[in-house]
Amino acid sequence: MKTQYGHFDDSNREYVITNPKTPFPWINYLGNEDFFGLISNTAGGYNFYKDAKFRRITRYRYNSVPMDNGGRYFYIKDEETIWNPGWKPCKTPLDSYECRHGLNYTRITGVKNNVRASVLHFVPLGVKAELQRLTLTNLSQEAKRLKVFSYTEWCLWNGATDGENFQRNLSTGEVEIEQTDRFTAIYHKTEYKERRNHYAYYTVNAPVQGYDTDREAFVGLYNELSEPQAVLEGRATDSLAHGWSPIASHYLEIELAAGETRDLIFILGYEENPNEEKFAAKAGEITSLGEKDHHIINKVRAHEVINRFATVEAVDAAFAELTALWDELLSKYRVESSDERLNRMVNIWNQYQCMITFCMSRSASFFESGIGRGMGFRDSNQDLVGFVHQIPSRARQRILDIAATQFPDGGCYHQYQPLTKRGNNDIGGGFNDDPLWLIFGTTAYIRETCDFSILDELVPWDNQPGSEVSLMEHLRISFDHVVNNLGPHGLPLIGRADWNDCLNLNCFSMDPNESFQTTGNQTEGSKAESLMIAGLFVYCGRQYVDLCNACNMSAEAARAEQHIQNMNQAVEKYGWDGEWYLRAFDFYGHKIGSKENEEGKIFIESQGWCAMARIGAEQGLPEKALDSAAKWLDSPHGMVLNYPAYTTYHIELGEQSTYPAGYKENGGIFCHNNPWVIIAQTEAGRGNDAWDLYRKIAPAWIEDQDLHKVEPYVYCQMVAGKEAAKPGEGKNSWLTGTAAWNWLTVSQHILGIRPTYEGLLVDPCIPADLKEFKVTRKWRDAEYVITVKNPNGKQHADTPTCLPYAPGKHNSVIIL
Ligand code: BGC
Ligand code: NOJ
């Protein structure tokens, strides 16, 4: 489907944007290891190394007007016309524009007055740098003399203080320039002479006619990025930043004969030096401090990268490696069906988003500033379930990192910083669902890999050396954290909140200066219990029991089983409201999510989790709950989180009731929890219903891009619900558990190819009119090609098939 903004190009695994004026910046991610870049369709965004807060390399302005300001820009001055290949910031109308967002790369191409400028941005594997290959082509019959300026603005490393501590920052900036006959490098070295052992650089593989490193000198005191003084005047000022705002801009004069093409390679990189190797003997570079500078950077490491990528062939080779990596990653699970959009989600975009959420957790997007949240305990455990089949070894390390932030009683920091891997108290704690997600993540890893040895790894509590116990012990304590924190009905106490961070039943906040996520939590005497955690406990508890059985720990399995039975009974006895599962009990023990309530009568989380856990299955409770969810929560864009939404602030409910009706956790369509309902539908054998809801949420089926607003190729966290002003409007794209959950849903529950300890289970639950599909699944060191045929229009098989694990290649045909 071509729209006024663009279209999918599945053969190249790209989304092609053909109009720069998208309803919101449509972004992509560069890098999938340690060096990252966010890049919008107009080349806006920024770079960082590992941690968007502590190692921010380039500056970005949030809340800007217009919204996406700052990035890596190229200005082309062709006679009196100044333009950018990505349209912004000059916004000179282009003769043609195209942005191709692919898997960890973006290629932006603009044509103006018979000059084509195409920029390929990507981060080579194993390299701490973004490469920018600028290809200029003279499409005319005459020679062209172009003036080309690069531009990027340095961030003073700490993304948080960079935006607030101006009294210091405006005096600290320092740079160096290095000019050789092969390249021109601008180095950013603020604070390098003291405690930092890292620097950044921006180079071009050519001598230049000038450069700028001071923002005011380049942009001009009263100008904007759309009209930089230096570009208007057609020359660089060779400015040296002394404090204020250091930037990096190269100025090149380029002559192109008719039809000629020229490539320039720019490298925006980051390096660290060991403390004893920080400084070079003086080498005549130009520095901010001039002759007085005793602190010339030892540039050996940057030079290695600069030398390596001096030629187009080297850049092409690195790009081919990246493409090969994605070929390999995407070959682990591949579907072929008659539905192009299903294939697109499964084979490309959903898996790609899972990689990005694995790398970023909830840290850096155009909705997450990168200075607030880092790696969430629950978030990262969920993310790795969508990623574990791609690179199991990285998932393994992540599990150990997450577990190491746990406390001895099983409780957790809600998040940790990617750079330090230490728990971050500023973001809060005491969410009583958190520990269970460790079971969820770890068991998914072992089912995928059969690597039981991870359970013997010694993992500390709260990163304290000497406190190490086995990962298996962490799992036991995680399970017991719920057992040890039961409320008056025998249901799990909620703590600060459960999966719904905004259901703050113990905060009682009346101070707008407090964050609901960190404010004092009055759990003393609280009766606040969560049915969501109850369902999660039964579901993950069974995973724990299965694991114990697989490890021949039958006594522990039996002990856990007993607690699960107790929880089942507690839910059936106190958690059923007649037609659906209650959501919670508040501090005083009053019902939440009950027909007795005026607003917030029914919630999706407890329907999803208790139905997935099949609580009360003998009495048909899951099916009744699913019917009720369909009746009260469903809408053309998916199921809302709760209905009716709250219209007033409830001090006893917290942040949820702060949101306007229909948004976020108050009646928004939280794409993250729709898959819980879909999975529960598949468990109830309702393939048609599951498919209908899946398609409402999955981006490949979204038709109205103006309404949806955010990227059409990835899931967003929330779509405005039916009580909102603009139902169907999407927000918070990219970093959401929606990616992993929808991956789990479509790959393991709808298409139904599910790894278990015993073998690969084939248990599809599909729409009756899907006649056939084929999945190629590389699992452990085996490859299974599974063809599912559905000649009689069924929704599922009478009994699932288990394909036992055996190395090698296997072909199976399953007839429903
Ligand atoms: C948001 C939640 C989020 C929480 C994290 C809240 O404001 O609504 O979606 O999980 O902040 O801190
Ligand atoms: C987003 C958070 O990242 C996640 O942890 C939470 O579960 C949901 N919002 C719901 O509040």
Side-chain angles (χ1 to χ4, degrees), residues 275-294:
N275 277 337
E276 56 291 356
E277 291 172 27
K278 275 174 69 173
F279 303 110
K282 281 204 185 184
E285 279 87 358
I286 306 170
T287 87
S288 300
L289 292 181
E291 285 301 297
K292 284 181 290 179
D293 197 344
H294 305 295

Side-chain angles (χ1 to χ4, degrees), residues 439 442-443 446 452 455 472 475 542-553 757:
I439 298 176
T442 308
T443 55
I446 301 176
F452 285 90
L455 297 170
M472 189 69 191
L475 298 191
R542 288 212 190 100
Q543 294 180 330
Y544 177 64
V545 169
D546 289 347
L547 180 68
C548 291
N549 284 327
C551 297
N552 295 319
M553 294 167 54
Y757 300 118

